[in-house]
């Protein structure tokens, strides 16, 4: 039998019409049934494309020229969009972004979960899908004797040095980074060089409380001391009177990890504060805190709505982090139990409960799949379990433990549609019925999507 070959060759230039989008936002066109994935292509467009990679069943192309533009093609407001890669979707209208993300969820519900009958509602987006991020971590480099700051070019560690702003970051973060760079330049502080493992300033991190306007600036250095520390602090606080905290983090390892093990406050407070709804949160340099507080409120309100909790309900919040969802749930429930594997996060959760005078919560450090069977043996009988796992989804042992506890309802908050669909199939087979899925756009201009899913225990026949 003759070996089948692709109908296109590498480096060939072709005309292609895009029919669809991948979950990453790439355009999909076909040549004699052979799919080509092309970044920045939009459905309905005809374009000139260079074939850059050919596999057995599909290939990749580079967009050279759009001959017929889609009505959903827009001009990216970011001048480094095509270099950076931090955002993937600025070239498409926001309506198409929301539709693409809904379709991504619908596709995995059909192909992985085999639950195409379950309603997937239109994606809840933002009125203004820009300037939403309250945290920036930006590398520092050097060019022609001057410090530069900017994100890395796609698939490299080469800093884009003409990047003066990031259109999805809070403008305060932009201005704070510029001020740190200017002061460090003036004081002669060297940038860290990862090739030689020499130099001083590695990263600048800025966190902002969206509701409080409080700002924390974190300076990450290779060295144990920050050169000219007192002068640095003086100039920075004079430039930005709203700065509440300046933190020095020491990272002396050859690593891509941004923060090192040792963190010390060199000026101001250990925490800044922010609120989501009626709940106040203390945020340290290391705290996990959602980067889009506007949509976090939307997401958690939806989770609370479908959880349908009353004052007699006992709730477990697995993967509870710093207690964000737990404290929302505690406003309605009789009692909430939170479990999380990271000790620092549990410490933050306990502090946040005290900060809000919420006493009907209990936080435990440990692996949820091990803690929950212990709770069951102790007689804990939850009415509702809420899960918000990392991208890899839930561990099989955890899903089994959840099924064994037989809560009336499960609310699954997901940041990865594929692992959500995989886990829903297991929960369905374990006696639960998926009622609906609500996508929420937490990260406009990027290909990431969050979703809230509601399941109920099937009644025994």
């Amino acid at each position: 039998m003759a070996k089948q070959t692709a109908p296109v060759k590498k480096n060939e230039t072709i005309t292609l019409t895009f029919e669809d989008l991948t979950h990453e936002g790439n355009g999909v066109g076909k040549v004699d049934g052979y799919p080509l994935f092309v970044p920045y292509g939009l459905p309905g467009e005809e374009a000139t494309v260079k074939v850059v990679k050919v596999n057995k069943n599909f290939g990749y192309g580079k967009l050279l020229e759009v001959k017929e533009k889609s009505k959903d093609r827009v001009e990216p407001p970011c001048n480094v969009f095509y270099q950076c890669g931090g955002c993937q979707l600025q070239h498409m209208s926001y309506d198409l972004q929301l539709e693409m993300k809904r379709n991504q969820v619908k596709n995995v519900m059909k192909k992985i979960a085999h639950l195409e009958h379950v309603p997937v509602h239109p994606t809840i987006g933002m009125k203004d899908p820009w300037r939403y991020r309250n945290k920036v971590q930006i590398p520092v480099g050097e060019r022609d004797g001057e410090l530069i700051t900017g994100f890395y070019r796609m698939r490299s560690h080469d800093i884009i040095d003409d990047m003066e702003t990031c259109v999805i970051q809070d403008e305060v973060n932009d201005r704070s980074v510029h001020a740190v760079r200017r002061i460090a330049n003036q004081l002669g502080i060297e940038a860290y060089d990862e090739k030689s493992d020499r130099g001083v300033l590695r990263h600048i991190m800025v966190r902002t409380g969206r509701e409080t306007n409080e700002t924390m600036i974190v300076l990450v250095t290779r060295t144990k001391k920050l050169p000219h520390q007192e002068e640095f602090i003086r100039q920075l606080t004079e430039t930005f009177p709203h700065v509440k905290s300046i933190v020095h983090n020491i990272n002396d390892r050859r690593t891509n990890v941004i923060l090192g093990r040792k963190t010390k406050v060199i000026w101001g407070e250990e925490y800044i504060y922010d609120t989501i709804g009626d709940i106040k949160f203390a945020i340290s340099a290391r705290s996990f805190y959602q980067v889009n507080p506007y949509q976090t409120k939307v997401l958690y309100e939806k989770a609370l709505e479908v959880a349908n909790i009353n004052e007699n309900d006992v709730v477990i919040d697995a993967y509870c982090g710093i207690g964000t969802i737990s404290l929302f749930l505690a406003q309605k429930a009789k009692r909430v139990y939170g479990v999380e594997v990271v000790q620092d996060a549990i410490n933050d959760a306990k502090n946040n409960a005290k900060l809000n005078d919420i006493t009907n919560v209990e936080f435990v450090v440990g692996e949820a799949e091990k803690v929950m069977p212990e709770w069951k043996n102790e007689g804990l009988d939850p009415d509702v379990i809420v899960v918000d796992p990392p991208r890899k989804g839930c561990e099989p042992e955890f899903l089994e433990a959840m099924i064994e506890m037989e809560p009336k309802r499960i609310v699954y908050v997901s940041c990865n549609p594929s692992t959500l669909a995989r886990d829903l199939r297991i929960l369905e087979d374990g006696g639960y019925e998926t009622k609906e899925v609500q996508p929420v756009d937490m990260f406009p201009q990027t290909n990431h999507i969050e979703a809230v899913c509601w399941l109920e225990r099937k009644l025994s026949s």
Side-chain angles (χ1 to χ4, degrees):
M1 187 174 177
K3 185 179 177 183
Q4 189 175 5
T5 58
V8 292
K9 293 184 175 64
K10 186 178 178 181
N11 295 326
E12 183 181 356
T13 299
I14 62 171
T15 298
L16 193 66
T17 299
F18 298 114
E19 304 170 12
D20 204 353
L21 291 167
T22 68
H23 69 274
E24 295 172 326
N26 294 331
V28 183
K30 292 181 180 177
V31 180
D32 297 337
Y34 178 85
L36 277 172
F37 304 134
V38 183
Y40 313 118
L42 297 180
E45 292 185 333
E46 185 180 286
T48 306
V49 170
K50 181 179 180 181
V51 180
V52 294
K53 189 173 183 179
V54 176
N55 294 326
K56 182 181 177 184
N57 298 316
F58 58 88
Y60 292 92
K62 180 181 179 181
L63 188 67
L64 298 181
E65 181 189 3
V66 179
K67 294 183 174 182
E68 291 184 21
K69 289 186 178 181
S70 163
K71 64 179 175 53
D72 287 301
R73 179 170 291 279
V74 297
E75 188 64 31
C78 174
N79 68 320
V80 296
F81 168 64
Y82 293 106
Q83 303 169 54
C84 174
C87 299
Q88 302 84 36
L89 309 181
Q90 284 189 27
H91 63 295
M92 67 173 71
S93 71
Y94 193 49
D95 284 345
L96 182 58
Q97 291 183 35
L98 298 179
E99 182 186 332
M100 176 196 122
K101 293 180 182 189
R102 181 193 188 192
N103 287 339
Q104 181 184 343
V105 178
K106 288 174 74 173
N107 286 342
V108 295
M109 288 295 288
K110 179 180 179 180
K111 294 177 181 177
I112 300 175
H114 307 296
L115 296 172
E116 55 265 43
H117 62 280
V118 174
V120 176
H121 300 301
T123 307
I124 300 174
M126 298 183 72
K127 288 180 181 176
D128 181 9
W130 304 99
R131 297 288 182 188
Y132 59 85
R133 287 187 63 95
N134 58 13
K135 174 185 174 186
V136 62
Q137 300 177 114
I138 203 154
V140 181
E142 206 167 299
R143 196 154 294 160
D144 300 326
E146 291 282 317
L147 295 187
I148 57 171
T149 53
F151 293 124
Y152 294 128
R153 294 182 198 279
M154 278 187 276
R155 296 178 289 279
S156 81
H157 270 212
D158 178 27
I159 291 174
I160 304 170
D161 61 339
D162 56 350
M163 187 192 118
E164 285 303 310
T165 187
C166 174
V167 294
I168 63 169
Q169 296 287 348
D170 190 310
E171 288 179 278
V172 171
N173 296 353
D174 274 343
R175 294 198 299 271
S176 300
V177 168
H178 295 165
V180 170
R181 185 182 68 202
R182 174 180 57 77
I183 295 166
N185 252 326
Q186 185 184 324
L187 296 176
I189 297 173
E190 293 179 293
Y192 173 70
D193 182 292
E194 62 182 6
K195 290 179 181 175
S196 65
D197 194 33
R198 298 180 66 84
V200 179
L201 190 58
R202 299 176 69 128
H203 277 84
I204 303 164
M205 181 169 90
V206 185
R207 311 191 73 151
T208 305
R210 186 54 60 93
E211 295 297 323
T212 61
N213 293 317
E214 295 180 356
T215 300
M216 171 185 287
I217 295 175
V218 183
L219 308 168
V220 184
T221 70
R222 180 188 66 86
T223 53
K224 290 181 181 176
K225 290 186 177 180
L226 175 65
H228 312 289
Q229 178 173 302
E230 294 308 312
E231 180 62 15
F232 210 128
I233 290 168
R234 185 188 69 78
Q235 290 198 38
L236 205 47
T237 51
E238 285 181 0
T239 304
F240 291 114
H242 61 268
V243 169
K244 298 293 182 196
S245 175
I246 303 175
V247 176
H248 179 203
N249 175 268
I250 300 162
N251 186 354
D252 56 6
R253 294 173 293 162
R254 293 189 91 152
T255 175
N256 286 336
V257 176
I258 292 173
L259 292 180
R261 295 187 183 97
K262 189 172 182 182
T263 303
K264 57 183 180 180
V265 179
I266 57 176
W267 184 88
E269 307 297 324
E270 182 179 356
Y271 298 97
I272 60 170
Y273 295 91
D274 200 14
T275 59
I276 300 177
D278 297 328
I279 307 294
K280 189 175 184 180
F281 294 95
I283 307 160
S284 70
R286 291 183 169 278
S287 292
F288 173 79
Y289 183 69
Q290 294 281 10
V291 299
N292 186 344
Y294 299 126
Q295 291 296 85
T296 298
K297 183 172 182 284
V298 171
L299 186 78
Y300 291 172
E301 283 177 346
K302 187 64 185 179
L304 198 57
E305 176 193 324
V306 297
N308 194 23
I309 295 165
N310 64 46
E311 66 274 10
N312 298 313
D313 282 338
V314 173
V315 183
I316 289 176
D317 177 14
Y319 308 96
C320 71
I322 66 168
T324 326
I325 294 182
S326 302
L327 299 179
F328 266 70
L329 298 167
Q331 296 176 100
K332 296 280 185 76
K334 178 181 179 181
R335 190 155 190 83
V336 177
Y337 295 84
V339 57
E340 165 65 53
V341 74
V342 180
Q343 181 68 63
D344 285 348
I346 288 294
N347 294 342
D348 281 345
K350 290 177 178 178
N351 289 336
N352 287 324
K354 288 179 184 173
L355 186 63
N356 291 278
D357 295 320
I358 294 175
T359 57
N360 60 331
V361 289
E362 182 178 320
F363 293 107
V364 175
V365 67
E367 297 174 6
E369 58 268 25
K370 293 179 180 177
V371 171
M372 283 174 49
E374 293 172 8
W375 278 342
K376 184 174 173 62
N377 291 337
E378 292 166 5
L380 178 56
D381 186 21
D383 299 284
V384 180
I385 295 179
V386 178
V387 295
D388 185 7
R391 288 190 61 78
K392 66 177 182 176
C394 298
E395 297 291 341
E397 298 85 357
F398 169 74
L399 293 170
E400 191 58 43
M402 193 157 54
I403 291 166
E404 286 289 317
M405 291 190 103
E406 296 188 335
K408 290 181 286 189
R409 287 181 300 284
I410 294 171
V411 178
Y412 194 132
V413 180
S414 168
C415 60
N416 184 341
S418 296
T419 54
L420 168 66
R422 178 201 68 196
D423 292 349
L424 290 180
R425 183 67 263 159
I426 295 170
L427 292 170
E428 284 265 342
D429 294 341
Y432 282 84
E433 181 183 0
T434 308
K435 307 299 281 188
E436 62 179 53
V437 185
Q438 176 61 70
V440 178
D441 190 21
M442 289 279 283
F443 308 103
Q445 319 309 327
T446 80
N447 53 29
H448 300 293
I449 182 64
E450 303 251 340
V452 180
C453 189
W454 157 39
L455 303 94
E456 289 198 359
R457 194 168 80 238
K458 296 171 188 172
L459 296 175
S460 303
S461 54

